[in-house]
Amino acid sequence: MKKILIITAIVFTVLLGGFYGANKFINSEAVSGSNKEHVDAEAVDNSTSPKKEESEQTDKIGGVQYDIGIDNTSSEYKVIEVMHKMTHQKVKADEKWGAIPMVPDTISRLYEIVNNSDFDRKDQLLAILEKWKAGNFAAVDDDHNYFWQYQGGTVGQAHGILSKAEEETFILNNFGDDIAKEVSSQQ
């Protein structure tokens, strides 16, 4: 009886392994076989397609908030955390967690808080906020990475800036129509 169980287990393992091995062989033959010029390019190309990358950059993310939760008594770290989350609507990054709408009222409130502070990084934060107040986001990816590094980031470094269409999609997916209308009216 014990021999029958062992033989059954071996046969099952060989058959199962054979199935997966055959499947792998068939897939590799499709790519490396004599008719590889007929293989669908998407099946072979493992790189990220532009549509997939856009979707990854504009999809709904966790940690969305509307109330910035800071005032004149807030720490420099908390202010930087808010500014970091604001950049997420504008930057490309492999990982994003948290988002706060980048709107003029919030930028102005942050400017006032930083301006009345004695933060170690006051000058750098004011320089960033002045650019943002002027509608200049040409280096927002650098701004993001400044905050990201300060917070000890290891994953999610920005590697570019979203196009206007991508940003609009991000805003709609994460903040909804009301914020989208507010942002588009300012641009």
Side-chain angles (χ1 to χ4, degrees):
M1 183 70 174
K2 191 174 182 180
K3 285 183 181 181
I4 293 174
L5 286 174
I6 293 171
I7 291 170
T8 305
I10 291 171
V11 169
F12 180 74
T13 303
V14 169
L15 288 174
L16 189 59
F19 171 76
Y20 286 115
N23 207 11
K24 187 174 180 181
F25 174 76
I26 290 167
N27 287 336
S28 67
E29 274 300 299
V31 174
S32 63
S34 61
N35 56 349
K36 65 180 157 185
E37 64 271 7
H38 298 294
V39 174
D40 183 13
E42 288 183 11
V44 177
D45 185 9
N46 291 327
S47 65
T48 304
S49 70
K51 287 188 181 209
K52 182 178 178 188
E53 182 180 338
E54 179 181 340
S55 173
E56 289 173 352
Q57 295 301 321
T58 59
D59 283 346
K60 187 162 183 63
I61 64 173
V64 172
Q65 64 189 90
Y66 299 95
D67 179 13
I68 62 173
I70 61 173
D71 58 29
N72 287 331
T73 64
S74 297
S75 69
E76 179 178 58
Y77 186 88
K78 183 65 177 166
V79 168
I80 288 174
E81 181 179 42
V82 168
M83 292 174 72
H84 179 188
K85 289 178 180 179
M86 290 170 68
T87 64
H88 286 167
Q89 86 178 40
K90 295 192 172 286
V91 301
K92 294 181 179 184
D94 292 335
E95 297 285 332
K96 297 179 190 179
W97 176 255
I100 295 173
M102 177 83 73
V103 294
D105 288 345
T106 304
I107 295 169
S108 294
R109 283 182 59 205
L110 285 165
Y111 186 89
E112 183 181 313
I113 290 168
V114 173
N115 195 39
N116 294 321
S117 75
D118 59 355
F119 294 160
D120 292 338
R121 291 173 173 75
K122 179 177 180 174
D123 292 339
Q124 295 93 332
L125 297 176
L126 286 175
I128 291 168
L129 288 163
E130 285 170 3
K131 289 187 305 184
W132 293 1
K133 281 178 78 166
N136 178 357
F137 300 100
V140 72
D141 52 342
D142 293 333
D143 300 339
H144 172 277
N145 291 340
Y146 175 78
F147 307 137
W148 177 81
Q149 280 185 318
Y150 171 79
Q151 293 179 306
T154 57
V155 176
Q157 185 172 14
H159 54 81
I161 300 172
L162 296 175
S163 69
K164 184 177 179 178
E166 289 170 326
E167 182 180 356
E168 288 171 358
T169 302
F170 180 91
I171 292 167
L172 279 172
N173 288 340
N174 287 281
F175 306 132
D177 289 332
D178 292 339
I179 300 296
K181 289 175 187 170
E182 183 177 346
V183 171
S184 67
S185 70
Q186 299 157 8
Q187 295 178 349

